Amino acid sequence: KINKFFQNNGIYGKVSEETLEKYKEQALSLDVSLGHMKMILLALEFNPELLIDELKDMDINELVKLSKDKINMKNKIADELKDEYNLKVSELIANYPTISTLKIQIEELTNSLAGKSEEEINAINIEIKSLEAELKSLKTAMDNEIKELKAEYITKSIPYFESKVIQKEKKIKEIKDKIEKHREKVEKSKEIVGKVKEWQQKTK
């Protein structure tokens, strides 16, 4: 149910049964709403270094942000590294020219089946299966190398994402500070207006 809640709200995390059992009693004892409890569990899943006591007083928006920042860094390559990564992928694919050759051979053999005798068809199909097995093996090897390369660049990307998160938080703080200063000025203005009115009443 919790995982379905995440999916319905566009949150792609997964709370394991182990995590749920570990924190369920504590979460229920917090006397918070079901939605709040689910967001606490999600935040814990993405931030295992935190304690439930550190999250229980956060509001829903804070918990969502805490999780989204980690989700945005997961399985992604920073824009600054994408060109370099794509170049590396192209170079890696170029190391497997046999894949293209095998695809052409399989296509040619498949097209040659028309008009052949049953014996010839059987022989060609055996050859096709042999080539397909070789092709599958090469593609698996190439895909594994690409996965390793992607994992490497995801790790390299983390500092870039963390820097953006810090910059974003800094801007938010600056905006909040400006709003707070403006609010203080308004309050002072109201106070001055109140004192002026009070003085005017006394001088009448």
Side-chain angles (χ1 to χ4, degrees):
K1 286 182 180 179
I2 288 175
N3 287 324
K4 185 176 284 187
F5 170 86
F6 293 155
Q7 291 166 10
N8 290 342
N9 288 275
I11 302 167
Y12 302 102
K14 183 175 177 61
V15 174
S16 65
E17 291 297 324
E18 184 182 352
T19 302
L20 181 59
E21 288 302 318
K22 185 177 179 181
Y23 294 107
K24 183 170 64 176
E25 289 185 10
Q26 284 179 292
L28 289 172
S29 71
L30 298 180
D31 193 27
V32 295
S33 69
L34 180 61
H36 202 148
M37 184 185 81
K38 289 170 181 175
M39 292 312 305
I40 289 172
L41 288 172
L42 180 63
L44 284 169
E45 184 75 4
F46 281 100
N47 302 272
E49 74 280 3
L50 297 180
L51 299 174
I52 199 164
D53 288 339
E54 296 178 82
L55 302 172
K56 65 181 181 181
D57 296 324
M58 289 187 179
D59 62 31
I60 293 290
N61 289 334
E62 288 175 316
L63 291 168
V64 168
K65 183 182 180 303
L66 192 63
S67 301
K68 277 188 174 180
D69 286 344
K70 289 294 178 79
I71 292 169
N72 288 338
M73 282 188 270
K74 190 176 181 182
N75 296 327
K76 283 192 175 182
I77 295 171
D79 291 338
E80 294 87 343
L81 296 174
K82 279 182 179 176
D83 287 343
E84 183 182 328
Y85 168 73
N86 289 331
L87 178 61
K88 292 282 186 183
V89 170
S90 298
E91 290 173 353
L92 196 153
I93 292 172
N95 290 331
Y96 288 86
T98 311
I99 288 178
S100 297
T101 304
L102 287 170
K103 285 181 178 179
I104 293 169
Q105 288 176 341
I106 291 168
E107 185 179 358
E108 288 176 348
L109 286 170
T110 302
N111 293 335
S112 72
L113 289 172
K116 293 290 192 299
S117 65
E118 186 177 344
E119 186 178 342
E120 288 173 323
I121 289 172
N122 289 336
I124 291 170
N125 279 333
I126 289 171
E127 188 176 354
I128 288 173
K129 285 182 180 179
S130 175
L131 293 174
E132 285 176 341
E134 186 181 349
L135 176 62
K136 184 179 178 181
S137 177
L138 284 171
K139 284 183 73 176
T140 299
M142 184 180 74
D143 288 344
N144 287 338
E145 283 197 50
I146 291 174
K147 284 178 184 177
E148 288 177 8
L149 183 67
K150 185 176 180 182
E152 178 188 336
Y153 273 83
I154 286 171
T155 302
K156 285 183 178 180
S157 296
I158 291 174
Y160 290 91
F161 286 121
E162 287 178 341
S163 175
K164 286 177 183 177
V165 169
I166 291 169
Q167 288 173 11
K168 182 181 175 183
E169 288 176 347
K170 187 179 177 182
K171 285 182 180 178
I172 291 171
K173 187 178 183 304
E174 287 174 356
I175 292 169
K176 285 182 177 179
D177 288 344
K178 284 181 181 179
I179 292 171
E180 187 59 33
K181 285 179 182 178
H182 177 71
R183 190 176 290 139
E184 288 174 2
K185 284 182 180 179
V186 170
E187 290 300 322
K188 283 181 180 178
S189 297
K190 286 181 180 178
E191 188 180 337
I192 291 169
V193 169
K195 287 180 178 179
V196 169
K197 285 183 178 179
E198 195 177 311
W199 177 80
Q200 288 175 337
Q201 290 293 332
K202 286 180 180 179
T203 55
K204 281 182 179 179

